[in-house]
Amino acid sequence: NAQIAKLNADAVTAKAAADKALADAVNAHAAELAKIKADNDAAVASMKKAFNALATKWNAKNPKAKVTILS
């Protein structure tokens, strides 16, 4: 009986450790995904800003062949 009780206690401890490791991994993944999304959004905004600057210059010099500004 003592061995069974010890094994049960060890199983409960192992399950708690596994549950914590899983929760930590899920949280780390969510944080990494949020950072990647923020970095991607910043890169897209930067590219749009650069494109719009060039498009504005083009449109000023070529009024008959205007390029649409990105929003």
Side-chain angles (χ1 to χ4, degrees):
N1 282 345
Q3 286 179 341
I4 292 173
K6 183 179 180 333
L7 290 174
N8 282 338
D10 290 347
V12 168
T13 302
K15 182 179 182 325
D19 289 346
K20 182 183 181 319
L22 177 61
D24 290 347
V26 167
N27 290 336
H29 175 71
E32 183 178 351
L33 190 60
K35 181 185 180 317
I36 290 170
K37 184 179 181 326
D39 290 347
N40 188 51
D41 290 346
V44 168
S46 176
M47 293 298 290
K48 282 183 179 182
K49 183 178 178 182
F51 176 84
N52 287 341
L54 288 172
T56 300
K57 288 179 184 178
W58 172 266
N59 290 343
K61 290 183 180 181
N62 302 287
K64 291 184 179 180
K66 286 192 172 194
V67 175
T68 304
I69 301 293
L70 299 177
S71 57

